Amino acid sequence: MDLRRLILGLTLCSALLPFANTFYAGYTVQRQQLIDTTQDSNAAYARKLAKSTDDFLQSALQQLAYTAKLLAEHMEDEHQLMEEATRLRLQTQSFNSVTIYNPLGTVLATSPETLQIKGRTLTSTAVQDSLRTQGPVISQAFMSTAGNLIIFLSQPIFSAQGDYLGAVGGSIYLKQESMLDKLLGEHFYEDGSYLYVVDKAKRIIYHPQSQRVGDTVTGNQAIDQAVSGHSGRIAITNSQGVPMLAGYAFVPSAGWGIVAQRPQSATLAPLDALMRTMLYKTLPLTVLLLLLIWWGARRIAQPLRQLANGAHTMDRPETAQTIQSVQSWYYEAQELKKAMLVGLGLLHKNITKLRQDVHTDPLTGLGNRRHLDTALASFAANRTPFAVLAIDIDHFKRVNDSFGHDVGDTVLKHLALQMRDVSRIDDLPCRVGGEEFVILLPGAPRHIAAQVAERLRLLVESTELPNVGHITISQGVSSWPDGSSDMPTVFKQADNMLYAAKRAGRNRVKVFTPGRKVAETV
């Protein structure tokens, strides 16, 4: 092998191997980050939906309890029983049917009357459990005599003297439209993601594919963990053999498990596209570098060959001048090295941009939850105090339902611009959920943060948006470390203040103050 080929081979190895290693390392790191982000999002989504489902069941039991109290004095009035059963079924549409029965399980009234079970004695396990316990019951899913897969909720009826008079129960048909079906069914994706719900017996009680409702699922770790009372995340393979990134949560009042999952391929698709784009953009420069390397190898070999020839003419006067003339070629070699560094620098720049994209919410351009976690880790390491604003758009679902998700996205982006307008140069506005936003204010005390929050609230309230008109926001404010030395607790305080603002009528700011039972309102 001559010197030109040796230099060419070594230079190609030194250029391509770091390029390939950096490309592979960047892909591996970003792939894991995307997987972690998706699993965290699904876990948070499952927990949120489990909370909403639990709230719905508790609300349904409260409705039944109120009806039971009203019926205590009218158990002999058939007309009154029928009217109350019909009112309960139609007023909130929480139940597909309502049944009132006596301590023997005999039906006194039912709505709708088309069920034609009045006067019959009910023998289902759910009814017998309610008669036996004489307390509130949320049953497991069971098949009715009419062939409906049902969940049965009931509340006992007691007289003023404490005598047990029977019970009022509401049935939710899992394969028909109901409030529970709407609660679970309005959450969907277009990329293969979906969620499903199972009861204690691991029987599916909700699934986007209605034919799966009623199936019992075994060998699924996410379901096993969820019905055991746990919440978390896991990578699984679904029944069709598709790798999924799942989050799961437990519904305490019913013992159900909720699983939200997304195909791994859908999660990694943006990364694959970005890596291909980066490769295509760096390929021309890589080809140019290879040509420079080939040319440089030829140029480097020529002076070195002159040096080798000059070794045979050491005694000639002109040899010194020849060797001196070769010295400049080391400078050219250094320039070639710089050119290679420029190429690698461009690659690192692209990888840095890719990492930045992973830390940025694609819709609003604000930081995402991973960016938020990175900032908090920095604040904790440097003991930098900060205030946090928890922000939520009031009645945002109404905007999506009335005007569509495209208009909703426009509202989110406009709010993001307004958050930037009121933020200081070091503040960190982030989007952490659908209509949920956070602003971190490093070094700001609570009263300054409250002023920023109030400026943002007034700006949002006074701005008229196309199609939508005026919107409002609710905000909660807390601070670290004077709110609490534990950062998650500070965020929980801000969330609690946000919910307090919503309960107080929305379009306001609530500030957490240590030692006070009532939040300050700005």
Side-chain angles (χ1 to χ4, degrees):
M1 181 180 294
D2 58 49
L3 183 60
R4 182 177 62 84
R5 290 189 177 90
L6 179 60
I7 294 175
L8 183 60
L10 291 175
T11 309
L12 288 176
C13 288
S14 66
L16 297 180
L17 288 180
F19 176 88
N21 179 68
T22 306
F23 190 89
Y24 174 76
Y27 177 84
T28 302
V29 170
Q30 303 309 320
R31 180 181 186 275
Q32 189 59 47
Q33 288 179 340
L34 284 175
I35 289 175
D36 291 343
T37 299
T38 298
Q39 288 184 313
D40 289 341
S41 298
N42 284 340
Y45 186 63
R47 288 193 297 270
K48 182 176 181 180
L49 191 55
K51 178 65 169 58
S52 299
T53 303
D54 192 74
D55 290 344
F56 166 78
L57 294 174
Q58 293 298 329
S59 175
L61 286 175
Q62 290 176 2
Q63 295 173 38
L64 291 171
Y66 180 77
T67 296
K69 185 177 180 180
L70 294 178
L71 294 177
E73 298 177 0
H74 304 283
M75 292 298 286
E76 302 299 326
D77 188 343
E78 179 179 336
H79 178 72
Q80 182 69 24
L81 295 180
M82 287 297 301
E83 283 191 348
E84 187 60 21
T86 301
R87 180 201 65 78
L88 178 60
R89 179 176 67 88
L90 297 179
Q91 186 174 35
T92 64
Q93 296 184 339
S94 296
F95 309 104
N96 296 94
S97 66
V98 175
T99 306
I100 303 171
Y101 48 93
N102 64 20
L104 299 178
T106 303
V107 177
L108 303 178
T110 184
S111 177
E113 295 184 52
T114 53
L115 294 177
Q116 297 182 352
I117 60 173
K118 183 179 178 182
R120 292 175 55 183
T121 299
L122 302 177
T123 59
S124 67
T125 302
V127 172
Q128 294 303 312
D129 285 346
S130 72
L131 296 175
R132 175 177 51 82
T133 62
Q134 297 185 5
V137 169
I138 300 177
S139 76
Q140 297 302 305
F142 65 94
M143 192 67 67
S144 70
T145 55
N148 293 314
L149 189 62
I150 289 176
I151 294 171
F152 187 74
L153 289 75
S154 66
Q155 285 281 12
I157 302 174
F158 291 98
S159 68
Q161 293 73 32
D163 298 325
Y164 180 65
L165 304 179
V168 56
S171 299
I172 300 174
Y173 298 169
L174 297 178
K175 292 190 176 182
Q176 296 184 22
E177 183 177 353
S178 66
M179 285 295 292
L180 179 61
D181 182 73
K182 290 180 179 179
L183 173 66
L184 299 173
E186 67 185 10
H187 304 274
F188 63 94
Y189 304 91
E190 298 179 352
D191 57 2
S193 302
Y194 61 94
L195 64 88
Y196 56 92
V197 184
V198 297
D199 62 12
K200 291 179 181 178
K202 302 180 183 179
R203 173 183 285 186
I204 296 177
I205 60 176
Y206 172 78
H207 196 284
Q209 300 174 359
S210 58
Q211 66 271 20
R212 295 291 306 279
V213 176
D215 292 350
T216 299
V217 182
T218 59
N220 187 305
Q221 291 180 320
I223 292 177
D224 294 342
Q225 290 292 323
V227 299
S228 298
H230 302 292
S231 299
R233 64 180 202 173
I234 193 172
I236 60 174
T237 301
N238 68 6
S239 57
Q240 282 75 43
V242 179
M244 307 293 288
L245 303 176
Y248 54 87
F250 178 65
V251 182
S253 60
W256 299 347
I258 294 181
V259 180
Q261 55 190 23
R262 185 187 191 195
Q264 180 173 298
S265 57
T267 296
L268 298 180
L271 176 61
D272 294 337
L274 283 173
M275 296 303 290
R276 284 195 298 270
T277 300
M278 186 179 69
L279 180 61
Y280 295 152
K281 288 185 177 181
T282 57
L283 189 59
L285 180 59
T286 302
V287 172
L288 177 60
L289 287 176
L290 293 177
L291 291 175
L292 289 174
I293 291 170
W294 174 79
W295 175 82
R298 288 174 57 91
R299 295 291 294 169
I300 290 173
Q302 181 178 359
L304 292 179
R305 187 177 297 111
Q306 292 175 351
L307 289 174
N309 293 333
H312 298 287
T313 59
M314 294 293 292
D315 56 336
R316 296 182 182 179
E318 64 271 15
T319 300
Q321 184 178 0
T322 301
I323 294 176
Q324 184 176 4
S325 65
V326 173
Q327 297 301 321
S328 60
W329 294 115
Y330 291 103
Y331 173 77
E332 298 296 331
Q334 183 65 23
E335 290 300 306
L336 180 58
K337 179 181 178 181
K338 290 181 180 179
M340 293 177 60
L341 292 176
V342 168
L344 292 175
L346 179 61
L347 178 62
H348 287 297
K349 180 179 179 181
N350 289 336
I351 291 177
T352 300
K353 182 180 182 301
L354 181 61
R355 288 175 178 165
Q356 182 181 2
D357 290 343
V358 171
H359 285 77
T360 302
D361 175 55
L363 177 64
T364 62
L366 300 179
N368 59 15
R369 187 173 294 276
R370 186 167 294 279
H371 182 68
L372 179 68
D373 291 342
T374 301
L376 291 176
S378 176
F379 292 167
N382 297 316
R383 302 299 299 171
T384 302
F386 66 91
V388 57
L389 273 59
I391 306 166
D392 191 271
I393 301 176
D394 297 330
H395 302 299
F396 183 68
K397 182 179 182 298
R398 195 178 297 169
V399 174
N400 281 335
D401 291 346
S402 301
F403 306 101
H405 289 279
D406 290 339
V407 175
D409 288 348
T410 301
V411 171
L412 294 175
K413 289 188 281 188
H414 193 80
L415 175 58
L417 292 175
Q418 292 176 318
M419 289 170 61
R420 288 193 180 97
D421 289 341
V422 302
S423 296
R424 305 170 306 171
I425 189 170
D426 293 327
D427 293 345
L428 299 174
C430 298
R431 182 188 179 199
V432 296
E435 70 271 23
E436 299 171 0
F437 297 81
V438 165
I439 300 179
L440 295 183
L441 296 87
R446 276 193 307 274
H447 71 279
I448 294 299
Q451 294 173 7
V452 173
E454 181 63 12
R455 286 202 304 272
L456 177 60
R457 186 191 69 79
L458 293 174
L459 178 61
V460 172
E461 181 185 32
S462 62
T463 302
E464 184 173 1
L465 302 179
N467 300 321
V468 179
H470 293 273
I471 64 169
T472 60
I473 59 174
S474 298
Q475 300 177 78
V477 179
S478 186
S479 61
W480 181 87
D482 48 306
S484 172
S485 60
D486 180 56
M487 286 187 178
T489 299
V490 170
F491 276 80
K492 184 172 182 60
Q493 292 166 354
D495 284 339
N496 290 339
M497 294 301 97
L498 170 62
Y499 294 136
K502 286 186 173 292
R503 288 193 299 270
R506 297 182 170 86
N507 190 24
R508 63 195 63 213
V509 178
K510 290 283 187 177
V511 182
F512 174 81
T513 302
R516 293 192 181 181
K517 295 184 178 180
V518 179
E520 294 181 354
T521 303
V522 179

